[in-house]
mmCIF file of all heavy atoms in Angstrom:
data_model
loop_
_atom_site.group_PDB
_atom_site.id
_atom_site.type_symbol
_atom_site.label_atom_id
_atom_site.label_comp_id
_atom_site.label_asym_id
_atom_site.label_seq_id
_atom_site.Cartn_x
_atom_site.Cartn_y
_atom_site.Cartn_z
ATOM 1 N N GLU B 13 18.899 20.243 22.396
ATOM 2 C CA GLU B 13 19.494 21.524 22.769
ATOM 3 C C GLU B 13 19.069 22.615 21.789
ATOM 4 O O GLU B 13 19.392 22.553 20.602
ATOM 5 C CB GLU B 13 21.031 21.356 22.800
ATOM 6 C CG GLU B 13 21.800 22.573 23.271
ATOM 7 C CD GLU B 13 21.620 22.884 24.760
ATOM 8 O OE1 GLU B 13 21.310 21.958 25.538
ATOM 9 O OE2 GLU B 13 21.778 24.057 25.129
ATOM 10 N N LYS B 14 18.320 23.560 22.308
ATOM 11 C CA LYS B 14 17.991 24.808 21.612
ATOM 12 C C LYS B 14 17.507 24.639 20.179
ATOM 13 O O LYS B 14 18.022 25.258 19.254
ATOM 14 C CB LYS B 14 19.219 25.726 21.627
ATOM 15 C CG LYS B 14 19.540 26.188 23.034
ATOM 16 C CD LYS B 14 20.425 27.393 23.028
ATOM 17 C CE LYS B 14 20.450 28.015 24.417
ATOM 18 N NZ LYS B 14 21.586 28.894 24.638
ATOM 19 N N ILE B 15 16.525 23.769 20.005
ATOM 20 C CA ILE B 15 15.971 23.651 18.655
ATOM 21 C C ILE B 15 14.896 24.708 18.434
ATOM 22 O O ILE B 15 14.185 25.093 19.363
ATOM 23 C CB ILE B 15 15.398 22.237 18.354
ATOM 24 C CG1 ILE B 15 14.363 21.821 19.404
ATOM 25 C CG2 ILE B 15 16.501 21.212 18.251
ATOM 26 C CD1 ILE B 15 13.609 20.554 19.033
ATOM 27 N N SER B 16 14.819 25.195 17.209
ATOM 28 C CA SER B 16 13.824 26.210 16.843
ATOM 29 C C SER B 16 13.278 25.884 15.469
ATOM 30 O O SER B 16 13.947 25.248 14.653
ATOM 31 C CB SER B 16 14.454 27.606 16.745
ATOM 32 O OG SER B 16 15.231 27.882 17.872
ATOM 33 N N ILE B 17 12.062 26.346 15.234
ATOM 34 C CA ILE B 17 11.525 26.307 13.875
ATOM 35 C C ILE B 17 10.527 27.438 13.700
ATOM 36 O O ILE B 17 9.798 27.789 14.624
ATOM 37 C CB ILE B 17 10.881 24.949 13.531
ATOM 38 C CG1 ILE B 17 10.550 24.907 12.036
ATOM 39 C CG2 ILE B 17 9.631 24.707 14.361
ATOM 40 C CD1 ILE B 17 10.222 23.546 11.500
ATOM 41 N N ALA B 18 10.560 28.027 12.516
ATOM 42 C CA ALA B 18 9.614 29.103 12.205
ATOM 43 C C ALA B 18 8.791 28.697 10.998
ATOM 44 O O ALA B 18 9.297 28.082 10.066
ATOM 45 C CB ALA B 18 10.382 30.387 11.917
ATOM 46 N N PHE B 19 7.500 28.994 11.071
ATOM 47 C CA PHE B 19 6.630 28.815 9.897
ATOM 48 C C PHE B 19 6.305 30.204 9.386
ATOM 49 O O PHE B 19 5.542 30.926 10.023
ATOM 50 C CB PHE B 19 5.349 28.081 10.275
ATOM 51 C CG PHE B 19 5.578 26.696 10.788
ATOM 52 C CD1 PHE B 19 5.287 26.368 12.099
ATOM 53 C CD2 PHE B 19 6.090 25.711 9.945
ATOM 54 C CE1 PHE B 19 5.494 25.084 12.574
ATOM 55 C CE2 PHE B 19 6.295 24.429 10.422
ATOM 56 C CZ PHE B 19 6.002 24.114 11.737
ATOM 57 N N GLY B 20 6.844 30.566 8.257
ATOM 58 C CA GLY B 20 6.667 31.937 7.794
ATOM 59 C C GLY B 20 7.277 32.855 8.828
ATOM 60 O O GLY B 20 8.448 32.716 9.189
ATOM 61 N N GLY B 21 6.507 33.763 9.354
ATOM 62 C CA GLY B 21 7.043 34.676 10.360
ATOM 63 C C GLY B 21 6.907 34.135 11.769
ATOM 64 O O GLY B 21 7.531 34.622 12.697
ATOM 65 N N LEU B 22 6.101 33.071 11.928
ATOM 66 C CA LEU B 22 5.772 32.597 13.266
ATOM 67 C C LEU B 22 6.828 31.638 13.800
ATOM 68 O O LEU B 22 7.093 30.600 13.210
ATOM 69 C CB LEU B 22 4.412 31.880 13.230
ATOM 70 C CG LEU B 22 3.982 31.208 14.522
ATOM 71 C CD1 LEU B 22 3.357 32.202 15.481
ATOM 72 C CD2 LEU B 22 3.036 30.050 14.234
ATOM 73 N N LYS B 23 7.433 32.026 14.943
ATOM 74 C CA LYS B 23 8.368 31.104 15.581
ATOM 75 C C LYS B 23 7.549 30.125 16.413
ATOM 76 O O LYS B 23 7.168 30.418 17.545
ATOM 77 C CB LYS B 23 9.348 31.879 16.461
ATOM 78 C CG LYS B 23 10.529 32.434 15.688
ATOM 79 C CD LYS B 23 11.841 32.101 16.387
ATOM 80 C CE LYS B 23 13.009 32.280 15.423
ATOM 81 N NZ LYS B 23 14.269 31.790 15.943
ATOM 82 N N ALA B 24 7.255 28.973 15.852
ATOM 83 C CA ALA B 24 6.381 28.021 16.532
ATOM 84 C C ALA B 24 7.098 27.402 17.724
ATOM 85 O O ALA B 24 6.493 27.133 18.755
ATOM 86 C CB ALA B 24 5.922 26.947 15.565
ATOM 87 N N VAL B 25 8.399 27.169 17.587
ATOM 88 C CA VAL B 25 9.218 26.652 18.676
ATOM 89 C C VAL B 25 10.528 27.428 18.658
ATOM 90 O O VAL B 25 11.161 27.571 17.623
ATOM 91 C CB VAL B 25 9.502 25.140 18.507
ATOM 92 C CG1 VAL B 25 10.522 24.676 19.528
ATOM 93 C CG2 VAL B 25 8.217 24.333 18.629
ATOM 94 N N ASP B 26 10.898 27.941 19.836
ATOM 95 C CA ASP B 26 12.056 28.819 19.889
ATOM 96 C C ASP B 26 13.013 28.366 20.990
ATOM 97 O O ASP B 26 12.644 28.342 22.161
ATOM 98 C CB ASP B 26 11.560 30.252 20.155
ATOM 99 C CG ASP B 26 12.628 31.283 19.825
ATOM 100 O OD1 ASP B 26 13.650 30.892 19.219
ATOM 101 O OD2 ASP B 26 12.435 32.455 20.180
ATOM 102 N N ASP B 27 14.206 27.997 20.613
ATOM 103 C CA ASP B 27 15.252 27.609 21.579
ATOM 104 C C ASP B 27 14.766 26.592 22.602
ATOM 105 O O ASP B 27 14.933 26.756 23.800
ATOM 106 C CB ASP B 27 15.761 28.854 22.333
ATOM 107 C CG ASP B 27 16.891 29.509 21.556
ATOM 108 O OD1 ASP B 27 17.327 28.915 20.540
ATOM 109 O OD2 ASP B 27 17.330 30.598 21.963
ATOM 110 N N THR B 50 4.398 20.547 17.640
ATOM 111 C CA THR B 50 5.510 20.899 16.757
ATOM 112 C C THR B 50 6.830 20.334 17.292
ATOM 113 O O THR B 50 7.676 19.892 16.516
ATOM 114 C CB THR B 50 5.574 22.430 16.585
ATOM 115 O OG1 THR B 50 4.303 22.885 16.137
ATOM 116 C CG2 THR B 50 6.631 22.818 15.574
ATOM 117 N N LEU B 54 9.302 17.879 15.358
ATOM 118 C CA LEU B 54 10.736 18.125 15.201
ATOM 119 C C LEU B 54 11.536 16.903 15.649
ATOM 120 O O LEU B 54 12.503 16.497 14.999
ATOM 121 C CB LEU B 54 11.160 19.349 16.020
ATOM 122 C CG LEU B 54 10.753 20.706 15.448
ATOM 123 C CD1 LEU B 54 10.928 21.803 16.497
ATOM 124 C CD2 LEU B 54 11.584 21.030 14.204
ATOM 125 N N TYR B 59 9.409 17.758 10.746
ATOM 126 C CA TYR B 59 10.073 19.022 10.428
ATOM 127 C C TYR B 59 11.525 18.906 10.863
ATOM 128 O O TYR B 59 11.849 18.136 11.763
ATOM 129 C CB TYR B 59 9.432 20.193 11.179
ATOM 130 C CG TYR B 59 7.947 20.333 10.992
ATOM 131 C CD1 TYR B 59 7.123 20.613 12.077
ATOM 132 C CD2 TYR B 59 7.354 20.185 9.739
ATOM 133 C CE1 TYR B 59 5.745 20.755 11.921
ATOM 134 C CE2 TYR B 59 5.990 20.319 9.575
ATOM 135 C CZ TYR B 59 5.190 20.591 10.668
ATOM 136 O OH TYR B 59 3.841 20.715 10.510
ATOM 137 N N HIS B 60 12.360 19.694 10.224
ATOM 138 C CA HIS B 60 13.758 19.733 10.643
ATOM 139 C C HIS B 60 14.031 21.065 11.316
ATOM 140 O O HIS B 60 13.624 22.108 10.814
ATOM 141 C CB HIS B 60 14.673 19.528 9.442
ATOM 142 C CG HIS B 60 14.451 18.210 8.778
ATOM 143 N ND1 HIS B 60 14.570 17.017 9.462
ATOM 144 C CD2 HIS B 60 14.086 17.880 7.522
ATOM 145 C CE1 HIS B 60 14.286 16.020 8.645
ATOM 146 N NE2 HIS B 60 13.985 16.506 7.458
ATOM 147 N N PRO B 61 14.714 21.034 12.481
ATOM 148 C CA PRO B 61 14.933 22.286 13.211
ATOM 149 C C PRO B 61 15.863 23.238 12.442
ATOM 150 O O PRO B 61 16.780 22.794 11.758
ATOM 151 C CB PRO B 61 15.569 21.819 14.520
ATOM 152 C CG PRO B 61 16.131 20.472 14.233
ATOM 153 C CD PRO B 61 15.271 19.869 13.168
ATOM 154 N N ASP B 62 15.574 24.535 12.573
ATOM 155 C CA ASP B 62 16.434 25.547 11.956
ATOM 156 C C ASP B 62 17.739 25.679 12.736
ATOM 157 O O ASP B 62 18.781 26.017 12.172
ATOM 158 C CB ASP B 62 15.722 26.911 11.939
ATOM 159 C CG ASP B 62 14.400 26.859 11.176
ATOM 160 O OD1 ASP B 62 14.315 26.038 10.237
ATOM 161 O OD2 ASP B 62 13.473 27.611 11.513
ATOM 162 N N THR B 63 17.667 25.439 14.044
ATOM 163 C CA THR B 63 18.872 25.542 14.880
ATOM 164 C C THR B 63 18.895 24.368 15.860
ATOM 165 O O THR B 63 17.903 23.648 15.997
ATOM 166 C CB THR B 63 18.850 26.830 15.726
ATOM 167 O OG1 THR B 63 17.722 26.733 16.630
ATOM 168 C CG2 THR B 63 18.706 28.069 14.867
ATOM 169 N N GLY B 64 20.010 24.216 16.552
ATOM 170 C CA GLY B 64 20.117 23.257 17.647
ATOM 171 C C GLY B 64 20.329 21.820 17.210
ATOM 172 O O GLY B 64 20.507 21.533 16.025
ATOM 173 N N TYR B 65 20.340 20.914 18.192
ATOM 174 C CA TYR B 65 20.527 19.501 17.875
ATOM 175 C C TYR B 65 19.607 18.599 18.678
ATOM 176 O O TYR B 65 19.075 18.992 19.717
ATOM 177 C CB TYR B 65 21.990 19.076 18.053
ATOM 178 C CG TYR B 65 22.475 19.055 19.489
ATOM 179 C CD1 TYR B 65 22.117 18.011 20.354
ATOM 180 C CD2 TYR B 65 23.319 20.045 19.978
ATOM 181 C CE1 TYR B 65 22.562 17.980 21.659
ATOM 182 C CE2 TYR B 65 23.773 20.028 21.285
ATOM 183 C CZ TYR B 65 23.391 18.995 22.121
ATOM 184 O OH TYR B 65 23.830 18.964 23.417
ATOM 185 N N ILE B 66 19.437 17.384 18.155
ATOM 186 C CA ILE B 66 18.635 16.361 18.818
ATOM 187 C C ILE B 66 19.500 15.114 18.907
ATOM 188 O O ILE B 66 19.991 14.627 17.885
ATOM 189 C CB ILE B 66 17.365 16.036 18.001
ATOM 190 C CG1 ILE B 66 16.469 17.268 17.865
ATOM 191 C CG2 ILE B 66 16.605 14.866 18.626
ATOM 192 C CD1 ILE B 66 15.448 17.161 16.753
ATOM 193 N N THR B 74 19.679 15.013 14.387
ATOM 194 C CA THR B 74 19.265 16.280 13.781
ATOM 195 C C THR B 74 19.228 16.158 12.260
ATOM 196 O O THR B 74 20.184 15.684 11.650
ATOM 197 C CB THR B 74 20.257 17.404 14.160
ATOM 198 O OG1 THR B 74 20.699 17.187 15.487
ATOM 199 C CG2 THR B 74 19.609 18.769 14.028
ATOM 200 N N GLY B 75 18.100 16.543 11.671
ATOM 201 C CA GLY B 75 17.996 16.536 10.206
ATOM 202 C C GLY B 75 17.736 15.172 9.595
ATOM 203 O O GLY B 75 17.642 15.048 8.383
#
Side-chain angles (χ1 to χ4, degrees):
Chain B
E13 184 69 25
K14 293 198 167 161
I15 55 171
S16 311
I17 189 166
F19 298 114
L22 174 82
K23 276 229 163 189
V25 171
D26 197 10
D27 272 353
T50 305
L54 285 166
Y59 306 137
H60 299 303
D62 301 330
T63 64
Y65 69 77
I66 298 162
T74 324

